[in-house]
Amino acid sequence: QVQLVESGGGLVQAGGSLRLSCTASGGTFSISGMGWFRQVPGKEREFVTAIRWTGGRTYESDSVKGRFTISSDNAKNTIYLQMNSLKPEDTAVYYCALTQRIGGLTRATDFASWGQGTQVTVSS
């Protein structure tokens, strides 16, 4: 069973930066894509960004375009989320996700494996 472990969350002032990491492990598996979602209490999980494992094509939500960058280290089964120019509205629990299926990468239902989440808090 695939396990995802996130790290790198924390508290930062508006305008600051944070870098999240997520590593996949757990036996034999193939990765089609990995991504990041975020969620605040009372709201649905929101797509942030994703990367296709072969080719490296990336997808971003409009709310983070130009500020957040996803990257991968395929040899380490790890993705990173570099978050710059953070805003208070970026405050959320950030979840890493992985899919082994070829298909979409922008909906929560596209992903079968999830991390436990890491809190990101941006103060104004």
Side-chain angles (χ1 to χ4, degrees), residues 1-121:
Q1 184 174 352
V2 178
Q3 294 180 331
L4 302 177
V5 178
E6 301 117 331
S7 62
L11 173 65
V12 64
Q13 288 188 332
S17 299
L18 278 176
R19 189 190 194 211
L20 306 183
S21 301
C22 173
T23 298
S25 63
T28 302
F29 56 91
S30 62
I31 303 174
S32 176
M34 294 184 69
W36 293 96
F37 289 72
R38 64 187 182 187
Q39 190 170 24
V40 298
K43 291 192 175 182
E44 291 188 355
R45 197 162 292 189
E46 174 193 17
F47 169 73
V48 177
T49 183
I51 187 166
R52 206 163 290 281
W53 216 241
T54 301
R57 180 177 179 180
T58 62
Y59 307 81
E60 297 84 29
S61 68
D62 288 342
S63 62
V64 305
K65 197 165 292 185
R67 300 188 299 123
F68 291 11
T69 302
I70 188 171
S71 60
S72 68
D73 184 334
N74 291 28
K76 297 181 179 179
N77 289 339
T78 298
I79 60 170
Y80 306 95
L81 180 61
Q82 179 65 46
M83 303 185 291
N84 299 327
S85 302
L86 282 160
K87 306 175 182 179
E89 50 263 44
D90 294 319
T91 296
V93 177
Y94 282 71
Y95 294 91
C96 172
L98 178 152
T99 179
Q100 301 187 55
R101 293 189 303 137
I102 296 174
L105 291 177
T106 61
R107 300 172 302 174
T109 53
D110 292 330
F111 296 86
S113 301
W114 293 86
Q116 79 287 353
T118 185
Q119 177 71 46
V120 171
T121 303

